[in-house]
Amino acid sequence: MATSKTAAAKVKAKTARKPAAKKKADQGEGEVKEVATRAKGNTLVVVESPAKAKTIKKYLGAGYTVKASVGHVMDLPKSKIGVDVENGFQPVYEVIESKKKVVADLKSAAKNADRILLATDPDREGEAIAWHVFEQLKKQKIPTQRILFNEITKKAIQEAIGKPLELNRALYDAQQARRVLDRLVGYQISPILWKKVRRGLSAGRVQSVAVRLVVEREEEIGKFVPVEYWSIEADLKAALPPQFRSKLIKLDGEKAELPNGEIARPLVDELKNAPFTVAEVIRKERRRNAPPPFITSKLQQDAANRLGFTAKKTMTLAQRLYEGVELGEEGQTALITYMRTDSVRLSPDAVLGARDYVATRWGKEYLPAEPVQFKTKKSAQDAHEAIRPTALEYPPERVQPFLEKDMFRLYELIWSRFIACQMVPAVFDQTTADIGAGRATFRATGQILKFPGYLAVYGQEAEQPREEAGAEKMEGEDEEKGDVSRQLPPLEAGQKLTLVQIIPEQHFTQPPPRFTEASLVKELEEKGIGRPSTYAAILSTIQDKEYVEKKEGRFFPTDLGKIVTELLLSAFPTVMDVQFTAKMEGNLDEVEDGTADWVKVLGDFYTPFKKTLEAAESQMRDVKREEKPTDLVCEKCGSPMVIKWGRMGRFLACTGYPECKNTKDFIEEDGKIKVVEDIPTDEVCLSCGKAMVNKRGRFGRFLACSDYPTCKTTKPITIKGVVCPDCGSGLAERKSRFGKNFYGCTGYPNCKFAAWDKPIPGPCPQCGKPYLLSKYSKRDGAYIACPDKECGYRREAPEPEAVVVVNGPESVVPMTPPARA
């Protein structure tokens, strides 16, 4: 991770040729070398967090003081761009207001120290914090060095202290280049959006591209035209049980294609009278290899898929596991290695420990003859190991009493993945039988787990390794097949079978799915947008800025997200280009490697970007001032109504403004504008005694005093008998920016629970969930179901609810009429 003497010399030689504007910034490196030659004595160790400080202090004896910077101590100013564009892009850093007391405390501690060790995280951000702490303490002329470790254990800390390093200029320059680049983009595009759309908006080099992915996926879904197709399956009996199901795969020796019922139904009649005979039976042993240990992105994806965690939650919990948690008498103990990594590399000691654990816990038949090694992608930095437990003396069952529920679940996931990666493959016996029936060929496939291998620890749930880097899918998994989990009876070629029933079924092709946290992280990773350490922040930002919203775990672009994406694509096509964003990440990696100059990287970007900025100022659509005519007339003054854009999105406004300030909410149905009127209620305002009306606002329908604006009393409309499962507040019916009804927590934005289907009082009789969902589909009609898909509970509902089709014939959501809210 750290720059070696040779690499440092290269960096020094390179910086000597940099513009004069950089000389001042580079002086710090020489100062570090100068002060590092002094004698050692009482030592001040500086880390980022109090939890990390507490863990490290545990491993250090007398003569060490451990202090936390509590994150960054310096940053660019919030009130201005803070970058001298005309003078080599020099950043103008200042001490963060809330960190002035922290800096004063560090300076005070440094007065009693004979040397300073900067032990911040081993990545770009950690290096930047180390440099900024050094900048604040360097006037005291105390020898200062950098120490790096991948895990907070006694051995790792002592080894790092025994081999202190110089601050890494190249790594700091890479962070600085990213920070300046993001500031140049954000602070210069955002004001244009304020002017053209609304104040408070932001644009980002990575976040805006992430929003673009969500918007374009929604466009694909909107343009998708379902295509009908049919399948035919046959339930068959052999001489011995069990009965089994087979699927039609060929007709007249060619792949079976049944586009409609007119073709499928006559074929069903034909097959009912055909003899079914086993044509061929193939028995094979299949192996499924274990996935590699976690890297950051895969941890986020697996935690989302298996545990339902957001990327932000996963990284917050992982940070705490890395920095240390209280384990009773053992005190503050770090449980995992550094959680920001894109390498699947493992230390020899870790591999040996895992192999010993597997042999002891499961036996040598679960242990490969040689240690399993995984190949890291070429684009990976490979600076740190993969994410793994720090010590195998802390199995999940031992630490469970000391960890909160979700932290334990994440630790167990990391532990299981690490152990599993050093185990033998799972072995399956798979039987595939082709069955002739006249001119048709059916196929039945059965599979039995012969030896669990790594699944003994990672679980049968692990059906996703085919998508993991380094994990191999089983041979033949792409073949046309039936249910591989089903057991088949003994079958031999030429054997006669008994037809039980023929099952024809109509299907429709489905649009591409909306992104989940896991799939969006995967998309960003595959396209090279951002870095694993930034994914959680990206996903949080695009939601906080209201460019996307998440419903039932999937991302939907808002009207705001769509219009901002449209404007940015038109005005800044390069910044919004996925390939350009990925290339820029590569350039920043080269800066980190010391093979590219950060000032040149920024210069190459900024020269064309500046021209684009100037054009956007005058040419970007002025959405804020746009008025779209309608056929509607203001009922108060008779003037025409127009569609305008405001803080709450689109709305109807009277053209008689400012004399007439009448506005209306509306929805568009089949291209027609429909005014959303206030609905009278029998409820009385508790403040003034006037009647309350049912209104539609930014977050859906709510009760408001009819005497507004004289009385501004409001009240949420909650669903009786059901509370939010996340926070215990009420649940209210709302309408999304797309005009679709959903049900959300009245505690929004502090609680973001939401569901498309109407929650009804529970509990679920199978799993005990406190509420159920009233659902509807075209195929099944109305029914009641458990929100936990793994539970699978469902029952018929007495009456279907009104529905609105959103994506094809089988994709629907309940829509309760406003009068029933």
Side-chain angles (χ1 to χ4, degrees), residues 162-192:
K163 298 178 181 178
L165 306 161
E166 298 172 1
L167 284 167
N168 188 326
R169 182 78 221 187
L171 192 59
Y172 174 52
D173 282 347
Q175 189 277 341
Q176 187 164 250
R178 179 185 294 276
R179 187 76 183 93
V180 170
L181 181 62
D182 290 341
R183 178 58 67 100
L184 291 174
V185 172
Y187 268 54
Q188 295 188 88
I189 294 182
S190 297
I192 300 177

Side-chain angles (χ1 to χ4, degrees), residues 480-527:
E480 185 71 42
K481 57 184 182 295
D483 185 350
V484 295
S485 65
R486 184 176 288 121
Q487 186 175 356
L488 298 179
L491 297 174
E492 299 295 339
Q495 184 176 355
K496 303 295 183 181
L497 301 173
T498 301
L499 175 64
V500 178
Q501 64 173 335
I502 291 277
I503 307 113
E505 188 171 3
Q506 180 189 36
H507 306 274
F508 291 89
T509 56
Q510 296 296 308
R514 292 181 176 89
F515 288 113
T516 61
E517 289 241 351
S519 61
L520 185 52
V521 165
K522 183 179 180 182
E523 188 82 358
L524 292 171
E525 179 186 29
E526 290 179 347
K527 292 184 179 299

